[in-house]
Amino acid sequence: MSNPTRMDPTFYRSAAEAIAAPTEQLAYVVAFDRAGERPDALTVVDTDADSPTYGQLVGWAELPTVGDELHHFGWNACSSALAHEGHDMGHDGLQRRFLLLPGLRSSRIHVYDTQPDPRSPRLHKTIEAEELAEKAGYSRPHTLHCGPDGVFLTCLGGTADGEGPGGIALLDHATFDVLRAWETDRGPQYLAYDAWWHLNQNTLVSSEWGTPAMVEDGLVPELLLGNRYGHRLHFWDLAEGRHVQEVDLGPEHQMVLELRPSHDPDATWGFVGVVVSTADLSASVWRWSRDGEEWTAEKVITIPAEPADPDDLPPALKPFSAVPPLVTDIDLSVDDRMLYVSCWGTGELKQYDVSDPSAPREVGSVHLGGIVRRTAHPAAPGEPLAGGPQMVEVSRDGRRIYVTNSLYGAWDDQFFPDGCGSWMAKIDTDPQAGGLTLDERFFPHGQDWRGLRPHQVRLQGGDASSDSYCYR
């Protein structure tokens, strides 16, 4: 084969290179139809502040199917690919080009090509649920990262309807064919959610939510109060797919979700968010780290529930007379300086300086939506908002934060029974000093989303929650 014509300029050897690179001009956002009657969509939002269409949807690619419930999605390759082998993508070399869109409800995966026109993604391939089940033994694909040996795709379910074990499917880097289950020895792991790694330490970390039967029809109060949702971290040998250690955060710490390891390739720590404590309805963020040969975790942030009038609460919360923060997403800036924490229940995005990762210090906060507050956006001050800051994405230079408001269809309906609405917001910050300011020019909402609900955001050229780096 002839030499590739060029290396993709959006692969960065280090976090510092990523921070110094040109800023994103576009954001890709998946949006889903709650009723499952219309196609979900991969949308494109203009993030160029000098553009006449800034803050507007400028691309819309409808899926060819219905009932997928797009949730998390990601690039075929990221900066960590510089340290991987096996990426043969033809004459042009490996590129951050394809977006893989798992359907959390359908178990299908649609692959879209963002070339030649980044504003008009084109369907490249569809991986059916049957292939995922037959070759890997999994269903309900959730989160993906480009890694050694292939694309790692976490899945909530096994092949038994609604049950586990969940785990990780491995997809071919170039063809996206399902290869196999990644695990060779899962040990005690049964529940699954997120997975990420410390590449230079040969360690993969995974977290827990619940089986499809535990989550697809909404939060099950009996399971929550019985502490049956996930409350553990799992540490694995990355090269061997072998379970090494389990760390239990305590059964009251329910739903251990988003993993954000340090971007420093030599570090052995990261943060994970916990949705709710059954002891007091608080939410928390934990820091894991390695102590010798053992992995440990400690709670470094606690966010208490807020008292509320039961008349203002949805049925699920009336008995508690309080609004839980419900930490549903976290994101760590590329320089490992700032941690962002989405409190979906109270409608707040919190910013913490984590220069000392063992002692986070709150330096910023902004409110939007919320179960009780319904805080409006300054661009539409007369419109009370439902939902709250949920998925959060940080630009590589740490100056811009993007949030969307939908969690998961059935859970939206439980906590916002009058409707969750559809909106996306952008927040500006000083990456060194902190402080959050809503951008009044950037607020696609309501019918901008054509009746769909936006969920995760991916930024052109990479972002804080999907890239890992291999070099200092």
Side-chain angles (χ1 to χ4, degrees), residues 411-434:
W411 295 49
D412 292 347
D413 299 347
Q414 275 183 300
F415 292 101
F416 296 93
D418 297 330
C420 186
S422 304
W423 50 266
M424 177 183 182
K426 172 180 166 279
I427 300 155
D428 296 313
T429 190
D430 180 326
Q432 298 302 313

Side-chain angles (χ1 to χ4, degrees), residues 24 27 45-49 54-55 349 366 368 377-378 393 395 397 399-404 423-429 436-444 459:
E24 69 281 355
V45 180
D46 187 342
T47 61
D48 178 1
Y54 175 63
L349 181 73
V366 68
L368 281 174
H377 193 284
E393 192 53 80
S395 65
D397 63 7
R399 297 184 177 278
R400 295 166 301 286
I401 302 100
Y402 302 88
V403 296
T404 54
W423 50 266
M424 177 183 182
K426 172 180 166 279
I427 300 155
D428 296 313
T429 190
L436 301 178
T437 305
L438 282 161
D439 182 346
E440 296 191 24
R441 297 175 57 209
F442 192 105
F443 185 50
L459 301 181

